[in-house]
């Protein structure tokens, strides 16, 4: 298919679970849509080394359930895991909820099989965890969003299935206390910490209102933190969590704490966290931004956006078109989600926000795309977080591997 399309200069858009948020899998004009849904086989599972080789159409949740039967888990976990597919996860370099523990797909993917734009098959489907024999070519395709080739199979290093898990939810009065609690978590929970999520009061209220899901804590707070640990020895893990919570209390950092150790309770708590985007979308027209930003500037972003919109007469006054401005995210990996909920999409709100917000993030050492990718919309803002030389290098790689520009045309670095 690709060889034919390349010869006739026909654009190709690859699709999987269609769960992305940046428009990377949307056909713009008359491109061929290449669905990988039927390429969903598990080719191999090495239970000794903990490596699985799968085709790109495997649904993440189904793959995780499969490897759990052998005592492993897939090291990426996403809110869209029941829809998204492993090929799309790799192509967007999806981060997910437990990045803090298991890291990035750049580290967990051991090999790839890729069909290049001219139809040649790049067989780099290695299962070795150590390999220094030349350039690590697979890294070019992780996060490339289908602009360099079609990822058809993936070799992934799995993680052991945890024997012990627990969640603590904290209520805090200001953002600086979240930062201090995170530092203490790294020091006191160490190797068992797997997630450190935060959200603000308004996010909590929206989930309760629109998803009809009760708050995990009894009292309202300005900020909430959810900490998950995963280990192999329950008593040891419980002792570490209890000691950590005592430290937080002694330091005067928390107003309320609650620990969940029952599996159903933990699942409901994760559900509450995962419903935030949906709750915002139900409350109005949600303009969502996915940034990486040093933790010390994350609350500053919220304040800056509210001030910017207020000065423009769009927020904080009667009949203002912007209803809510909120943040939530993953403190452990500097990923923050900013939501601007308005009466309508685009229009004056988008004009006032963009490119201002991308320039602000870039000016504070951040990235304009943390885990959702560049897609159709954000490539033009790449200049705010990448230097001209970096962008030129990306374009050179694109030109070398796809000289006719057929792979996901008009997206990603092409828009930079």
């Amino acid at each position: 298919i690709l060889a034919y399309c390349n010869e006739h200069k026909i654009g190709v858009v690859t699709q999987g679970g269609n769960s992305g948020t940046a428009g990377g899998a949307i056909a713009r004009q008359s491109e061929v849509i290449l669905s990988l849904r039927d390429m969903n086989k598990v080719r191999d599972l090495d239970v000794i080394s903990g490596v699985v080789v799968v085709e790109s159409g495997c649904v993440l949740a189904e793959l995780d359930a499969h490897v759990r039967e052998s005592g492993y888990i897939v090291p990426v976990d996403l809110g869209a895991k029941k829809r998204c597919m492993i090929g799309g996860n790799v192509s967007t370099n999806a981060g997910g909820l437990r990045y803090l523990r298991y890291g990035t797909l750049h580290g967990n993917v051991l090999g790839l099989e890729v069909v290049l734009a001219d139809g040649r098959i790049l067989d780099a489907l290695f299962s070795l965890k150590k390999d220094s024999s030349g350039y690590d070519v697979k890294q070019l395709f992780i996060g490339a969003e289908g602009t360099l080739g079609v990822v058809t199979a993936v070799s992934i290093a799995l993680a052991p299935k945890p024997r012990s898990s627990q969640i603590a939810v904290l209520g805090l009065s200001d953002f600086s206390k979240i930062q201090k609690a995170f530092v203490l978590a790294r020091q006191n929970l160490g190797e068992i910490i797997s997630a450190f999520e935060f959200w603000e009061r308004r996010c909590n209220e929206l989930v309760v209102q629109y998803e009809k899901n009760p708050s995990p804590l009894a009292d309202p707070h300005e900020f909430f933190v959810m900490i998950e640990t995963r280990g192999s020895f329950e008593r040891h893990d419980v002792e570490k969590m209890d000691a950590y919570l005592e430290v937080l209390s002694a330091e005067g950092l928390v107003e309320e704490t609650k620990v969940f150790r029952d599996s159903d309770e933990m699942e409901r708590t994760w559900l509450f966290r995962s419903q935030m985007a949906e709750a915002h979308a139900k409350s109005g027209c949600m303009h969502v931004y996915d940034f990486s930003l040093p933790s010390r500037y994350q609350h500053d972003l919220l304040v800056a956006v509210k001030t910017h919109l207020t000065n423009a007469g769009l927020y904080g006054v009667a009949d203002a078109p912007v209803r809510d401005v909120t943040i939530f995210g993953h403190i452990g990996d500097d990923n923050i989600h900013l939501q601007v909920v308005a009466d309508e999409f685009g229009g004056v709100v988008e004009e006032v926000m963009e490119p201002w917000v991308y320039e602000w993030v870039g000016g504070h050492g951040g990235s304009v795309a943390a885990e959702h990718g560049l897609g159709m919309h954000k490539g033009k803002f790449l200049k705010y977080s990448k230097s001209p030389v970096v962008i030129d290098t990306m374009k050179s790689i694109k030109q070398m591997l796809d000289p006719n520009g057929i792979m996901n045309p008009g997206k990603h670095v092409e828009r930079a």
Side-chain angles (χ1 to χ4, degrees), residues 6 77 120 154 156 158 180 201 213 216 270 315 335 361 379 382 385 410:
N6 188 58
D77 190 4
R120 290 180 298 159
V154 186
I156 306 171
L158 302 171
K180 293 175 182 176
R201 174 184 54 81
N213 197 350
W270 267 118
Y315 178 71
N335 185 189
V361 168
L382 191 58
S385 59

mmCIF file of all heavy atoms in Angstrom, residues 6 77 120 154 156 158 180 201 213 216 270 315 335 361 379 382 385 410:
data_model
loop_
_atom_site.group_PDB
_atom_site.id
_atom_site.type_symbol
_atom_site.label_atom_id
_atom_site.label_comp_id
_atom_site.label_asym_id
_atom_site.label_seq_id
_atom_site.Cartn_x
_atom_site.Cartn_y
_atom_site.Cartn_z
ATOM 1 N N ASN A 6 3.273 5.981 -2.379
ATOM 2 C CA ASN A 6 4.475 6.791 -2.550
ATOM 3 C C ASN A 6 4.723 7.068 -4.039
ATOM 4 O O ASN A 6 5.060 8.199 -4.427
ATOM 5 C CB ASN A 6 5.673 6.069 -1.933
ATOM 6 C CG ASN A 6 6.909 6.935 -1.907
ATOM 7 O OD1 ASN A 6 6.912 8.022 -1.338
ATOM 8 N ND2 ASN A 6 7.978 6.472 -2.530
ATOM 9 N N ASP A 77 0.231 3.149 31.299
ATOM 10 C CA ASP A 77 -1.172 3.043 31.708
ATOM 11 C C ASP A 77 -1.844 4.371 31.411
ATOM 12 O O ASP A 77 -1.417 5.419 31.906
ATOM 13 C CB ASP A 77 -1.266 2.713 33.199
ATOM 14 C CG ASP A 77 -2.686 2.357 33.620
ATOM 15 O OD1 ASP A 77 -3.556 2.290 32.735
ATOM 16 O OD2 ASP A 77 -2.923 2.150 34.816
ATOM 17 N N ARG A 120 9.452 -0.200 1.965
ATOM 18 C CA ARG A 120 10.436 -1.090 2.565
ATOM 19 C C ARG A 120 10.087 -1.341 4.032
ATOM 20 O O ARG A 120 9.544 -0.463 4.711
ATOM 21 C CB ARG A 120 11.837 -0.497 2.475
ATOM 22 C CG ARG A 120 12.427 -0.461 1.064
ATOM 23 C CD ARG A 120 13.814 0.157 1.103
ATOM 24 N NE ARG A 120 13.769 1.539 1.571
ATOM 25 C CZ ARG A 120 14.823 2.187 2.084
ATOM 26 N NH1 ARG A 120 15.986 1.566 2.214
ATOM 27 N NH2 ARG A 120 14.702 3.440 2.464
ATOM 28 N N VAL A 154 5.754 -4.049 17.821
ATOM 29 C CA VAL A 154 6.535 -3.437 18.902
ATOM 30 C C VAL A 154 7.040 -4.518 19.844
ATOM 31 O O VAL A 154 6.312 -5.465 20.173
ATOM 32 C CB VAL A 154 5.665 -2.438 19.708
ATOM 33 C CG1 VAL A 154 6.508 -1.694 20.732
ATOM 34 C CG2 VAL A 154 4.946 -1.463 18.787
ATOM 35 N N ILE A 156 8.372 -4.827 23.684
ATOM 36 C CA ILE A 156 8.279 -4.017 24.903
ATOM 37 C C ILE A 156 8.831 -4.785 26.097
ATOM 38 O O ILE A 156 8.502 -5.965 26.298
ATOM 39 C CB ILE A 156 6.819 -3.624 25.203
ATOM 40 C CG1 ILE A 156 6.184 -2.943 23.998
ATOM 41 C CG2 ILE A 156 6.743 -2.713 26.424
ATOM 42 C CD1 ILE A 156 4.692 -2.728 24.153
ATOM 43 N N LEU A 158 8.481 -5.562 29.745
ATOM 44 C CA LEU A 158 7.381 -5.518 30.701
ATOM 45 C C LEU A 158 7.891 -5.280 32.119
ATOM 46 O O LEU A 158 9.087 -5.418 32.401
ATOM 47 C CB LEU A 158 6.599 -6.826 30.646
ATOM 48 C CG LEU A 158 6.021 -7.196 29.278
ATOM 49 C CD1 LEU A 158 5.460 -8.607 29.303
ATOM 50 C CD2 LEU A 158 4.947 -6.195 28.860
ATOM 51 N N LYS A 180 6.344 20.292 48.364
ATOM 52 C CA LYS A 180 7.074 19.761 49.531
ATOM 53 C C LYS A 180 6.673 18.312 49.796
ATOM 54 O O LYS A 180 7.520 17.481 50.138
ATOM 55 C CB LYS A 180 6.782 20.635 50.757
ATOM 56 C CG LYS A 180 7.351 22.041 50.662
ATOM 57 C CD LYS A 180 6.933 22.898 51.861
ATOM 58 C CE LYS A 180 7.457 24.318 51.736
ATOM 59 N NZ LYS A 180 6.978 25.190 52.847
ATOM 60 N N ARG A 201 -9.294 22.389 43.506
ATOM 61 C CA ARG A 201 -10.649 22.304 44.055
ATOM 62 C C ARG A 201 -11.714 22.268 42.968
ATOM 63 O O ARG A 201 -12.648 21.453 43.020
ATOM 64 C CB ARG A 201 -10.899 23.512 44.972
ATOM 65 C CG ARG A 201 -12.332 23.629 45.499
ATOM 66 C CD ARG A 201 -12.526 24.892 46.322
ATOM 67 N NE ARG A 201 -12.108 26.070 45.580
ATOM 68 C CZ ARG A 201 -12.850 26.697 44.669
ATOM 69 N NH1 ARG A 201 -14.065 26.226 44.381
ATOM 70 N NH2 ARG A 201 -12.416 27.767 44.035
ATOM 71 N N ASN A 213 -19.799 11.301 40.917
ATOM 72 C CA ASN A 213 -18.849 10.471 41.639
ATOM 73 C C ASN A 213 -18.458 11.208 42.919
ATOM 74 O O ASN A 213 -17.978 12.345 42.853
ATOM 75 C CB ASN A 213 -17.615 10.217 40.769
ATOM 76 C CG ASN A 213 -16.788 9.047 41.257
ATOM 77 O OD1 ASN A 213 -17.007 8.528 42.343
ATOM 78 N ND2 ASN A 213 -15.821 8.632 40.464
ATOM 79 N N PRO A 216 -13.170 11.757 46.969
ATOM 80 C CA PRO A 216 -12.465 10.793 47.820
ATOM 81 C C PRO A 216 -12.227 11.293 49.235
ATOM 82 O O PRO A 216 -11.954 10.492 50.132
ATOM 83 C CB PRO A 216 -11.146 10.564 47.082
ATOM 84 C CG PRO A 216 -10.977 11.754 46.201
ATOM 85 C CD PRO A 216 -12.343 12.195 45.833
ATOM 86 N N TRP A 270 -9.074 5.864 41.275
ATOM 87 C CA TRP A 270 -8.474 6.108 39.966
ATOM 88 C C TRP A 270 -9.534 6.574 38.972
ATOM 89 O O TRP A 270 -9.264 7.434 38.109
ATOM 90 C CB TRP A 270 -7.789 4.850 39.438
ATOM 91 C CG TRP A 270 -6.335 4.765 39.783
ATOM 92 C CD1 TRP A 270 -5.718 3.816 40.536
ATOM 93 C CD2 TRP A 270 -5.297 5.653 39.359
ATOM 94 N NE1 TRP A 270 -4.363 4.058 40.618
ATOM 95 C CE2 TRP A 270 -4.079 5.176 39.907
ATOM 96 C CE3 TRP A 270 -5.275 6.804 38.580
ATOM 97 C CZ2 TRP A 270 -2.862 5.821 39.686
ATOM 98 C CZ3 TRP A 270 -4.069 7.450 38.366
ATOM 99 C CH2 TRP A 270 -2.878 6.963 38.919
ATOM 100 N N TYR A 315 -12.864 36.717 31.469
ATOM 101 C CA TYR A 315 -12.963 35.847 32.650
ATOM 102 C C TYR A 315 -13.094 36.712 33.906
ATOM 103 O O TYR A 315 -12.521 37.797 33.996
ATOM 104 C CB TYR A 315 -11.707 34.970 32.757
ATOM 105 C CG TYR A 315 -11.677 34.059 33.963
ATOM 106 C CD1 TYR A 315 -12.515 32.957 34.060
ATOM 107 C CD2 TYR A 315 -10.781 34.286 35.010
ATOM 108 C CE1 TYR A 315 -12.476 32.110 35.163
ATOM 109 C CE2 TYR A 315 -10.729 33.447 36.119
ATOM 110 C CZ TYR A 315 -11.576 32.370 36.188
ATOM 111 O OH TYR A 315 -11.535 31.544 37.290
ATOM 112 N N ASN A 335 4.267 17.079 33.983
ATOM 113 C CA ASN A 335 3.205 17.191 32.984
ATOM 114 C C ASN A 335 1.975 17.832 33.610
ATOM 115 O O ASN A 335 1.460 17.354 34.620
ATOM 116 C CB ASN A 335 2.878 15.800 32.448
ATOM 117 C CG ASN A 335 1.863 15.795 31.321
ATOM 118 O OD1 ASN A 335 1.389 14.748 30.920
ATOM 119 N ND2 ASN A 335 1.516 16.958 30.763
ATOM 120 N N VAL A 361 4.754 29.319 28.173
ATOM 121 C CA VAL A 361 5.307 28.012 28.574
ATOM 122 C C VAL A 361 6.742 27.858 28.091
ATOM 123 O O VAL A 361 7.640 27.464 28.841
ATOM 124 C CB VAL A 361 4.423 26.861 28.051
ATOM 125 C CG1 VAL A 361 5.125 25.518 28.205
ATOM 126 C CG2 VAL A 361 3.096 26.841 28.795
ATOM 127 N N GLY A 379 1.981 21.899 15.861
ATOM 128 C CA GLY A 379 3.262 22.009 15.186
ATOM 129 C C GLY A 379 3.705 23.449 14.989
ATOM 130 O O GLY A 379 4.898 23.770 15.106
ATOM 131 N N LEU A 382 5.755 24.876 17.796
ATOM 132 C CA LEU A 382 6.963 24.159 18.193
ATOM 133 C C LEU A 382 8.130 25.112 18.432
ATOM 134 O O LEU A 382 9.002 24.848 19.271
ATOM 135 C CB LEU A 382 7.320 23.123 17.126
ATOM 136 C CG LEU A 382 8.398 22.094 17.459
ATOM 137 C CD1 LEU A 382 8.034 21.284 18.690
ATOM 138 C CD2 LEU A 382 8.630 21.163 16.267
ATOM 139 N N SER A 385 9.359 26.039 22.015
ATOM 140 C CA SER A 385 10.075 25.153 22.933
ATOM 141 C C SER A 385 11.211 24.380 22.273
ATOM 142 O O SER A 385 11.887 23.603 22.945
ATOM 143 C CB SER A 385 9.109 24.168 23.611
ATOM 144 O OG SER A 385 8.432 23.374 22.663
ATOM 145 N N GLY A 410 0.921 17.329 6.381
ATOM 146 C CA GLY A 410 0.385 18.559 6.945
ATOM 147 C C GLY A 410 0.298 18.577 8.454
ATOM 148 O O GLY A 410 -0.384 19.435 9.026
#
